Amino acid sequence: MRFELSGEQAQIREMVRSLARKEFAPKAAEIDEHSRYPEENLSRLAELGLLGMLVPAAYGGSETGAVAYSIALEEVARGCASTGVGMAVTNMVGDTIYRFGSEEQRRRFLADMASGAGSGAFALTEPSAGSDAFGISTVAVPDGDAYVLNGSKTFITNGSRARVAIVAAVTQKEPKKQISAFLVEHGTRGYSCGRPERKLGLKGSDTVSLAFEDCRVPKRNRLGEEGEGFRIVMTALDGGRVGIAAQAIGIARAAVESAISYARERKQFGQPLSEFQAIQWMLADSATELDAAGLLALRAAYRKDTGGSFTREASVAKVFASEAAYRSCHRAVQVFGGYGYMREYPVERHLRDIKVTSIYEGTSEIQRVIIARDLVRQGYR
Amino acid sequence: MAVTELPGGEEKMVFDLTEEQRMIQEMAHGFAQKEVLPKAAELDETSRFPEELVRQMAGLGLMGVAVPEEYGGAGMDNICYAIAMEEISRACASTAVILSVNNSLACDPILSFGSEEQKRNYLVPLASGNHLGCFGLTEPGAGSDAGSQKTTAVRDGSHYVLNGTKNFITNAPQADTCVLFAMTDKEKKHKGITAFILDMKRQGVTVGKEEKKLGICASATASIILEDVKIPEEDRLGNEGEGFKIAMHTLDGGRIGIAAQAIGIARASLEDALAYAKERKQFGQPIANFQAIQWMLADMATEIDAARLLTYRAAWRKDRKLRYTKESSMAKLYASEAAMRASVKGIQIHGGYGYIREYPAERHFRDAKITEIYEGTSEIQRLVIASALLKD
């Protein structure tokens, strides 16, 4: 056990922190207010090598590993949550293409994603297949040198911006359902995006539905083997969950930091709010839970970096961090009182933004299923 | 800052146990499962002090885990200590607290503040387990407000004369040595408190009758009454007026032990409930198949993971001589409250059987409660954490 970062990881933290504080945080309210995609923020991240952190340098990535990635994502989300999720999805897609893609696929997609020339999207969810991901109905039928895709995907982050989307589709229904993964490129005939969803929070992120109508995807764009798709998307989600835990911590951290400075300034009954135990309790609980969340997220990232299975660790980090972060944002609004409810202060935005972290990339309920299944099979480890 | 950041160092972060940490885990686990667990229910039922287990633990080096070998200890790090505490506590929380008081509250202050002579005379027998230690801070009127000590120590030539009463002292009936606090200068309030090493055989020391408690029944808790007890100057620990600082420093370390104790209780709650849930059938299937039960199990495991990392972090910082007051408060607060929640869920999963003494679930619940109270209540931990946050 050693609870310190490497020099390089600490440097990345400082660099991203300063970027997020100077360039992202000042615009976060405006991005939220206008539901504006923070294109310029993503470009900055690309310039600094922060969109290909899990991809080796040979493919244009910065190869910093999952620990550094978690730390960076936390800092970005602390400045702007919408920018954070854009960064998270592109990194996760890059990681997945690197892990499961052919040499040719890696060369074709990864450098562009890392450089910001094209972001990535991950298309698994469908109108009728949320937590029940295996229940997807988009189909891919082989036809000559291509697969013909039909179906629709919903709630796809980066959906309208992505140069390439990892799309899960059914390649065999009987006797045993089989899912395969495809790399579908923007502009492919028969592939279209719906209009942006209007959301509770994370308003700057691009969330759309995707439709596939007789969409021909060349066979060379199949990711992994036929039938390997479900394993690929589940592995991708393990990594993605570490990212969402980090995002949640970043958002909550911004909220608690605002609450601490507000509690110091705001006077009631003749003294600063921070002198009251009722307020101190809320701050202490948030800080304690966020510290624990941070350690769980780093542990999961560490396991990912050092190889081996980290499914349970990722689920533990994700459910704990997203729920602790939600409680922390909720308390922050409470510390602000009436002002916390007003858009003039950032905490109501943090509360709206944080809610999704206990929903996407596997709801809290799905994380608990994963953890409980592991417990029943292997006991507490 | 709302989140404690890991410092940047030369080396990389590691979330794996070291070889030594794995070894002590295996050893303590083996001992606890084989020797301690089979006795836990009986110890609880009869409120019997497990003398034979204490002797065995001494043989294994567990009475002074983080004390250097030259002073009779095992010379390991504080993560090893937390691991050993967790394993013993998983089997029997009462046995664990005996261990924790000796390690954290008796050995550690003498190691940190004692003179070479005091270490030779008092620490060596405590750390090697030949003697048992206790910690005399709490008084009837001084619980969370530890600074308001009524016990007095009046200087008389080369001696001090002590008078007063200490309350709720774990290990008091069996202890040979007590790290004790008394007021040497009332005017200075908490800065007038001085620490002493009290040989429990000194004239004028009386141990009150054992308290009957909700849980940790096999650990002995009693008051210590001091009537004109003469303590030689050489047995003063640190300087006059340094006592409050010594007490607080000691409790920082003690909280790591209690956090680990709480984790052990939580783990016992989880592991027992998990085994029961896999066996118990209702509606034609094991209750582990029901999401209602799975949720409880998943939350217990998740919170134990979180508590462990907070505890190891605090222990690691202590070993590195970094500040860890806030970190050990966080570990203690979170672990103890997580243990309480886990033990309630443990009972709930057992249903009616959870309420019956035939199953261990109700003992875990009774044992867990104390961890939110002693060595600083949850309320005191939140004060410590909030003041650290607001100071930054």
Side-chain angles (χ1 to χ4, degrees):
Chain A
M1 290 277 168
R2 195 181 300 119
F3 291 90
E4 64 191 352
L5 303 177
S6 72
E8 190 202 341
Q9 290 161 349
Q11 256 174 14
I12 290 173
R13 178 173 68 190
E14 292 316 311
M15 172 188 82
V16 182
R17 170 174 308 171
S18 129
L19 170 74
R21 185 187 297 154
K22 285 194 204 127
E23 299 185 27
F24 301 168
K27 288 189 290 200
E30 175 260 317
I31 286 167
D32 172 69
E33 190 67 40
H34 299 107
S35 299
R36 179 174 75 74
Y37 181 77
E39 185 134 31
E40 72 281 21
N41 292 353
L42 273 305
S43 303
R44 288 290 284 138
L45 293 174
E47 282 168 31
L48 295 166
L50 299 170
L51 293 185
M53 297 182 79
L54 304 170
V55 171
Y59 303 101
S62 54
E63 208 176 351
T64 56
V67 168
Y69 164 61
S70 297
I71 294 164
L73 182 50
E74 177 185 324
E75 293 297 337
V76 170
R78 195 175 159 200
C80 172
S82 296
T83 305
V85 71
M87 169 182 170
V89 173
T90 294
N91 271 286
M92 176 233 217
V93 169
D95 187 29
T96 307
I97 294 176
Y98 171 67
R99 276 164 191 264
F100 296 98
S102 65
E103 190 55 29
E104 184 265 338
Q105 289 168 341
R106 291 171 173 178
R107 300 236 166 263
R108 200 143 47 95
F109 296 109
L110 291 178
D112 270 5
M113 288 178 58
S115 72
S119 60
F122 183 78
L124 171 64
T125 300
E126 297 184 357
S128 304
S131 289
D132 182 9
F134 199 70
I136 58 171
S137 54
T138 295
V139 290
V141 179
D143 179 29
D145 61 351
Y147 287 87
V148 180
L149 269 65
N150 277 288
S152 61
K153 297 288 175 182
T154 195
F155 302 156
I156 306 305
T157 304
N158 287 356
S160 75
R161 306 261 160 181
R163 199 205 126 186
V164 60
I166 296 177
V167 177
V170 179
T171 41
Q172 179 181 300
K173 283 182 195 159
E174 298 290 338
K176 204 174 162 223
K177 187 170 181 175
Q178 272 190 353
I179 290 171
S180 302
F182 300 92
L183 297 169
V184 184
E185 293 170 80
H186 194 82
T188 307
R189 193 198 294 238
Y191 170 33
S192 60
C193 305
R195 59 178 177 74
E197 299 286 353
R198 297 165 69 206
K199 308 190 293 288
L200 172 67
L202 224 56
K203 293 188 175 197
S205 85
D206 167 35
T207 311
V208 298
S209 58
L210 307 179
F212 302 94
E213 288 169 288
D214 293 329
C215 173
R216 286 182 74 85
V217 177
K219 277 195 167 156
R220 66 178 185 143
N221 278 23
R222 190 188 66 220
L223 186 63
E225 298 301 315
E226 206 171 270
E228 210 191 353
F230 198 68
R231 186 174 78 86
I232 292 172
V233 296
M234 288 301 124
T235 306
L237 285 173
D238 282 348
R241 283 164 189 160
V242 182
I244 300 309
Q247 187 204 19
I249 295 161
I251 296 169
R253 200 173 160 173
V256 178
E257 280 160 356
S258 296
I260 290 175
S261 41
Y262 185 81
R264 280 194 184 120
E265 281 164 23
R266 168 83 171 169
K267 285 191 179 157
Q268 289 289 279
F269 304 102
Q271 56 180 347
L273 292 186
S274 60
E275 300 288 315
F276 294 101
Q277 290 192 337
I279 303 297
Q280 291 174 357
W281 265 214
M282 290 195 263
L283 299 176
D285 283 340
S286 293
T288 302
E289 293 178 19
L290 291 179
D291 267 23
L295 293 171
L296 289 170
L298 287 176
R299 179 184 65 165
Y302 169 82
R303 291 261 179 273
K304 182 171 193 285
D305 280 341
T306 50
S309 165
F310 63 100
T311 301
R312 185 183 73 97
E313 284 86 348
S315 287
V316 165
K318 204 264 188 186
V319 68
F320 187 94
S322 62
E323 295 191 350
Y326 180 83
R327 289 190 292 273
S328 298
C329 292
H330 186 256
R331 290 185 198 112
V333 170
Q334 195 67 16
V335 169
F336 272 81
Y339 292 101
Y341 202 73
M342 304 298 156
R343 204 157 278 195
E344 194 185 329
Y345 284 92
V347 286
E348 64 85 31
R349 168 164 53 85
H350 299 320
L351 183 60
R352 288 185 288 107
D353 286 346
I354 201 65
K355 186 58 210 137
V356 76
T357 63
S358 51
I359 299 173
Y360 63 14
E361 306 217 6
T363 59
S364 286
E365 290 65 40
I366 286 297
Q367 309 312 325
R368 289 190 170 90
V369 165
I370 292 168
I371 298 162
R373 198 179 290 156
D374 183 83
L375 280 171
V376 169
R377 281 188 195 149
Q378 315 208 41
Y380 178 71
R381 292 171 289 154
Chain B
M1 232 171 312
V3 168
T4 322
E5 294 184 335
L6 301 190
E10 290 303 306
E11 297 172 278
K12 280 193 167 181
M13 189 175 66
V14 179
F15 278 96
D16 298 308
L17 298 182
T18 63
E19 195 54 41
E20 184 179 71
Q21 290 159 357
R22 259 198 306 273
M23 268 168 50
I24 193 165
Q25 186 172 51
E26 211 171 288
M27 183 271 275
H29 179 78
F31 168 73
Q33 293 298 303
K34 187 162 164 272
E35 306 289 341
V36 185
L37 186 61
K39 291 182 180 166
E42 174 255 317
L43 291 171
D44 172 67
E45 190 66 42
T46 57
S47 297
R48 177 175 75 78
F49 183 83
E51 212 172 323
E52 74 285 11
L53 295 178
V54 175
R55 249 198 321 276
Q56 284 173 287
M57 292 193 295
L60 296 171
L62 297 178
M63 299 310 281
V65 179
V67 174
E69 289 174 49
E70 54 170 322
Y71 297 121
M76 295 183 176
D77 62 28
N78 278 287
I79 292 183
C80 288
Y81 168 51
I83 289 170
M85 272 297 300
E86 177 188 324
E87 291 300 332
I88 302 298
S89 176
R90 190 261 168 263
C92 172
S94 296
T95 305
V97 72
I98 299 166
L99 191 71
S100 138
V101 167
N102 198 73
N103 274 275
S104 291
L105 304 188
C107 290
D108 195 68
I110 302 176
L111 177 66
S112 303
F113 298 97
S115 65
E116 191 55 33
E117 199 194 336
Q118 289 171 336
K119 290 180 193 172
R120 295 271 158 235
N121 291 342
Y122 292 105
L123 179 56
V124 172
L126 284 169
S128 58
N130 291 322
H131 281 179
L132 187 69
C134 67
F135 184 74
L137 176 66
T138 298
E139 298 184 356
S144 288
D145 183 11
S148 68
Q149 297 277 309
K150 289 269 189 308
T151 298
T152 54
V154 178
R155 208 176 171 117
D156 177 17
S158 62
H159 282 77
Y160 289 87
V161 179
L162 276 74
N163 278 289
T165 302
K166 297 290 171 183
N167 206 18
F168 300 156
I169 309 303
T170 304
N171 289 355
Q174 292 81 16
D176 304 280
T177 309
C178 179
V179 173
L180 186 103
F181 300 85
M183 200 58 106
T184 42
D185 188 346
K186 240 183 213 157
E187 300 296 300
K188 290 189 184 155
K189 297 188 173 156
H190 69 274
K191 287 191 173 152
I193 297 173
T194 301
F196 297 91
I197 305 173
L198 170 69
D199 180 339
M200 293 289 283
K201 282 193 285 296
R202 287 196 190 283
Q203 198 155 20
V205 177
T206 321
V207 173
K209 70 171 173 58
E210 285 183 28
E211 303 285 353
K212 291 182 174 170
K213 307 190 293 293
L214 171 68
I216 53 166
C217 293
S219 95
T221 310
S223 56
I224 300 176
I225 301 117
L226 306 157
E227 289 168 297
D228 293 331
V229 178
K230 271 179 87 172
I231 299 187
E233 197 177 27
E234 307 90 80
D235 287 353
R236 188 187 67 221
L237 185 63
N239 294 320
E240 259 188 36
E242 235 186 342
F244 193 74
K245 189 187 87 181
I246 293 174
M248 292 303 115
H249 172 100
T250 303
L251 288 173
D252 282 350
R255 285 163 189 163
I256 294 171
I258 301 309
Q261 184 198 23
I263 294 165
I265 300 169
R267 230 182 85 201
S269 302
L270 168 60
E271 289 172 352
D272 293 346
L274 181 59
Y276 183 82
K278 286 160 81 169
E279 274 167 28
R280 170 77 172 168
K281 285 191 178 157
Q282 289 289 280
F283 305 102
Q285 55 182 321
I287 61 171
N289 289 354
F290 296 108
Q291 289 193 337
I293 303 297
Q294 290 176 358
W295 264 217
M296 289 193 261
L297 295 170
D299 285 342
M300 290 157 96
T302 299
E303 295 188 15
I304 295 170
D305 272 15
R308 257 192 187 164
L309 291 177
L310 288 172
T311 304
Y312 290 168
R313 179 183 65 169
W316 182 84
R317 292 182 67 94
K318 179 168 165 46
D319 285 327
R320 286 292 175 106
K321 311 231 178 304
L322 297 166
R323 289 187 62 127
Y324 71 102
T325 300
K326 182 182 78 174
E327 288 79 1
S328 70
S329 282
M330 283 181 165
K332 201 270 188 183
L333 170 67
Y334 189 78
S336 60
E337 297 195 346
M340 200 65 233
R341 289 190 290 272
S343 69
V344 175
K345 292 189 183 104
I347 293 181
Q348 195 66 18
I349 290 170
H350 282 80
Y353 293 101
Y355 204 71
I356 308 292
R357 204 159 276 195
E358 197 184 324
Y359 283 86
E362 63 87 32
R363 169 164 54 87
H364 303 325
F365 172 79
R366 289 184 289 106
D367 288 346
K369 183 61 210 164
I370 191 59
T371 64
E372 293 180 322
I373 298 173
Y374 62 15
E375 304 211 15
T377 59
S378 288
E379 291 64 41
I380 288 295
Q381 309 311 329
R382 287 190 171 90
L383 270 186
V384 171
I385 297 161
S387 80
L389 286 176
L390 292 164
K391 215 187 295 169
D392 276 355

